[in-house]
Amino acid sequence: MAALELCGVPLRGPVLNGSGTFDAIAARRAFGDALFERFPFDAFVSKTITLEPRQGNPPPRLWETPAGMINSIGLPNKGLEGFLASDLPELAPLPVPLVVSVMGFSRDELAQLVAAVDDRDEVAMLELNVSCPNVETGLVMGADPAETALAVERVRSETAKPLVLKLTPNATDPAAVAAAAEGAGADAVSLVNTLKGMALDPETGDPWLGGRTGGVSGPAIRAIALEQVAAVASRVEIPVIGMGGIASGRQAADFMDAGATAVAIGTESFRDPAAGCRIAAELADLSLSRGTRPTSSTTV
Ligand SMILES: Cc1cc2nc3c(=O)[nH]c(=O)nc-3n(C[C@H](O)[C@H](O)[C@H](O)COP(=O)(O)O)c2cc1C
């Protein structure tokens, strides 16, 4: 029996992965069927795909910070056709619902991606990653409420599947962006994506990362993410998926207390690929000890 429904999709629990932080295809090769028997997440979010294939940024791509990391991976992916032909058949047998994350560099590109993914029955939901600039306006789609509304309106008619809008924390007012997404027809919002950051090579003083700047993730951003989740959850009626530095059930419970319906684990999975299982178990224990069951019979 499903423990909760997220946008009408039954889930056995509230713990998802953050897009781009768990390679289920590589994990299947490494762990075989054991991965399916003990899959660490209650829904799987794909890494973000774009219309055309991308190489990603030049190395180095990672910098470890005292409480997390900065990545400048740059969204390497096979592009829409490559994803549909080779990745989707490998992700479809996962024992949990599949969410496909897409990013377009214009509203039409985003619509093309959404329409193509909508055709596939294996996909339960779509997540829109709007952390990139719109090449037509130069504005980061997800940093501006009006841009976000136009993007969601443009893609809404292309799919009846639930649409999750992934918010960037690099916005003046993420709650206003969330409200704009809700008004334009988004079914849920997820947050936070990474915060903009930089590291310098101590020898040369030049940027260390191949992409010059990158995205900060992990425990370093948790307090910021928690505040943004609380602000967004108090502004919108649609479900909120909270993430940003979650590494324990206690911390996941904080995000749910702040108004999240579900949580996602990102950087912690690099340290411990089974972190999703541990965090779900800790969260369940906490709910029992509190005498509450935040994940049972919850329909949103
Ligand atoms: C190496 C790496 C790759 C990521 N790739 C993506 C991506 O493809 N799409 C996306 O929307 N977010 C991506 N993210 C952001 C995560 O999904 C998540 O929003 C963020 O890392 C905050 O959660 P965390 O602190 O638990 O990692 C990536 C993060 C990391 C660290």
Side-chain angles (χ1 to χ4, degrees):
M1 200 183 80
L4 84 155
E5 275 188 13
L6 184 64
C7 308
V9 176
L11 301 186
R12 65 187 186 191
V15 180
L16 285 58
N17 64 297
S19 171
T21 62
F22 187 91
D23 186 339
I25 296 174
R28 178 85 201 277
R29 289 200 187 104
F31 301 112
D33 287 345
L35 178 75
F36 281 27
E37 283 151 26
R38 220 168 155 253
F39 195 70
F41 307 108
D42 299 315
F44 181 74
V45 185
S46 78
K47 68 185 172 193
T48 298
I49 58 162
T50 52
L51 201 51
E52 302 300 333
R54 284 171 61 91
Q55 294 294 326
N57 287 330
R61 290 174 164 186
L62 289 179
W63 173 271
E64 194 175 336
T65 71
M69 63 182 177
I70 313 177
N71 86 81
S72 77
I73 307 284
L75 299 178
N77 75 96
K78 295 174 184 162
L80 175 66
E81 291 309 322
F83 173 81
L84 294 178
S86 58
D87 286 359
L88 191 54
E90 294 206 60
L91 295 175
L94 291 179
V96 296
L98 178 63
V99 184
V100 172
S101 167
V102 298
M103 174 191 271
F105 294 95
S106 67
R107 290 193 280 276
D108 284 344
E109 222 178 276
L110 203 51
Q112 226 178 307
L113 283 154
V114 168
V117 175
D118 175 68
D119 271 350
R120 306 301 291 255
D121 291 341
E122 308 93 309
V123 180
M125 297 193 221
L126 284 112
E127 184 170 78
L128 307 180
N129 177 350
V130 285
S131 304
C132 67
N134 179 340
V135 289
E136 287 152 353
T137 63
L139 292 171
V140 171
M141 289 192 211
D144 179 74
E147 276 278 325
T148 300
L150 287 170
V152 175
E153 272 161 21
R154 176 69 185 83
V155 303
R156 186 61 280 184
S157 57
E158 304 290 347
T159 185
K161 293 189 200 287
L163 272 176
V164 182
L165 195 285
K166 181 153 182 187
L167 296 166
T168 169
N170 305 308
T172 311
D173 186 356
V177 177
E182 180 179 42
D187 297 291
V189 288
S190 60
L191 72 152
V192 295
N193 210 319
T194 53
L195 278 108
K196 239 184 180 177
M198 191 180 200
L200 301 183
D201 184 331
E203 300 288 319
T204 63
D206 293 329
W208 169 268
L209 294 164
R212 289 184 59 83
T213 62
V216 186
S217 65
I221 70 168
R222 195 169 54 245
I224 299 162
L226 188 63
E227 188 280 331
Q228 294 200 0
V229 164
V232 166
S234 64
R235 185 84 173 262
V236 299
E237 298 288 325
I238 51 178
V240 173
I241 302 163
M243 73 194 92
I246 298 175
S248 71
R250 173 67 263 167
Q251 294 159 3
D254 286 348
F255 277 72
M256 297 182 87
D257 287 343
T261 296
V263 292
I265 313 304
T267 301
E268 182 65 5
S269 292
F270 288 90
R271 212 181 54 75
D272 169 13
C277 296
R278 173 179 55 78
I279 291 168
E282 290 170 3
L283 190 58
D285 282 352
L286 262 176
S287 307
L288 287 175
S289 69
R290 277 180 168 187
T292 57
R293 289 171 180 267
T295 64
S296 70
S297 324
T298 311
T299 303
V300 284

